[in-house]
Amino acid sequence: MGDSIHLSAADLAALAFFLAVWVLHTLASDGKLVSRVSLTTAMNAQREAWMRNMAEREVRIVDTAIMNGLQQGTAFFASSSLIALGGCFALLGASDRVLQVLAELPFGAASSHEAFQTKVFGLVLILAFAFFKFGWAYRLFNYCSILIGAVPILHGEASRNPLSETAVWRATRMNVLAGKHFNSGLRAVFFSIGYLGWFVDPVVFVISTLVLLAVLVRRQFFSAARQAVLGQPPGPGKG
């Protein structure tokens, strides 16, 4: 199989390791592998709290502004993914020069044109995946805006009736789904950075994947951002 796609056994092993790391990190971030609460899971709880507070507000300008910010950020990354895709096709046109540069690197290994093109095609797939995730997230955030508008304005115990609870649940669920797809697209962008190590050498590919994993694990499970979401403010008289 490696010969048919012009890749060595080391290349295929490094690629399999990269994909396994991607899948395992995704499952861990979604709370399916480890018991420790991830930043993503903690923020999903805050999304629900946001929707419940939104239902109590008569004027929802703040909520609309937040949704606009989320959509604009998603649109930015979708556009960036398209630009990066264009860069990949430009890379194919300059393959001779790129291969020469890679061969001159300290850890660079000789690579055929066919293997290089296969690797670029893999990068195209990652960026295309990211674009579709961002595009779908943008649409879901738009749907969430509509569902927010459909939540009735009720106060106190009246807001706990079944119709209001259902409307809040729908808006919350759509918000969480939009965030999930946005995070998937962003994760693909991050892993595309680690993927670049493959153009140098399979060993460099594994190392860049491990470095990327360390950064992402720290941000999800041990970062100051996670502590800010889950932590408690200091008591009176404490710093």
Side-chain angles (χ1 to χ4, degrees):
M1 179 179 176
D3 294 336
S4 63
I5 57 177
H6 309 286
L7 296 176
S8 65
D11 283 321
L12 293 176
L15 179 61
F17 176 77
F18 171 81
L19 295 175
V21 167
W22 190 342
V23 172
L24 291 175
H25 179 267
T26 300
L27 294 175
S29 298
D30 292 340
K32 297 178 181 178
L33 284 183
V34 295
S35 58
R36 186 177 178 84
V37 177
S38 67
L39 178 58
T40 297
T41 302
M43 286 307 301
N44 285 340
Q46 294 302 313
R47 292 177 190 271
E48 181 178 0
W50 169 25
M51 292 296 104
R52 293 196 173 278
N53 289 330
M54 173 274 302
E56 301 284 345
R57 283 193 280 266
E58 292 186 7
V59 180
R60 296 173 180 172
I61 297 177
V62 173
D63 308 294
T64 303
I66 296 173
M67 290 304 303
N68 285 336
L70 292 174
Q71 285 185 304
Q72 289 175 6
T74 304
F76 168 79
F77 281 107
S79 300
S80 299
S81 298
L82 280 181
I83 294 173
L85 278 171
C88 288
F89 290 107
L91 196 62
L92 288 174
S95 58
D96 290 334
R97 176 56 181 161
V98 175
L99 285 172
Q100 180 181 352
V101 172
L102 292 175
E104 294 174 355
L105 294 176
F107 301 100
S111 178
S112 66
H113 280 76
E114 293 80 6
F116 175 78
Q117 291 171 355
T118 300
K119 295 174 183 179
V120 173
F121 181 70
L123 184 59
V124 168
L125 289 179
I126 294 175
L127 294 173
F129 174 82
F131 170 75
F132 280 109
K133 283 294 184 178
F134 288 132
W136 185 234
Y138 184 91
R139 192 170 186 178
L140 292 183
F141 279 129
N142 183 53
Y143 290 159
C144 185
S145 298
I146 297 173
L147 290 176
I148 286 176
V151 174
I153 302 174
L154 299 172
H155 302 282
E157 292 299 324
S159 63
R160 301 295 181 259
N161 67 72
L163 290 178
S164 179
E165 286 289 329
T166 299
V168 171
W169 180 86
R170 288 172 178 166
T172 301
R173 182 59 180 161
M174 190 65 72
N175 201 309
V176 170
L177 285 174
K180 178 179 180 181
H181 285 281
F182 176 82
N183 288 333
S184 294
L186 200 57
R187 190 178 297 114
V189 172
F190 289 152
F191 272 89
S192 70
I193 303 301
Y195 183 92
L196 296 178
W198 197 15
F199 289 96
V200 181
D201 183 78
V203 175
V204 176
F205 187 20
V206 171
I207 294 174
S208 63
T209 301
L210 288 174
V211 172
L212 176 68
L213 177 63
V215 172
L216 295 182
V217 167
R218 180 187 176 279
R219 290 181 176 179
Q220 278 288 344
F221 298 100
F222 304 98
S223 65
R226 176 185 176 277
Q227 181 61 32
V229 177
L230 295 175
Q232 297 293 331
K238 297 182 180 180

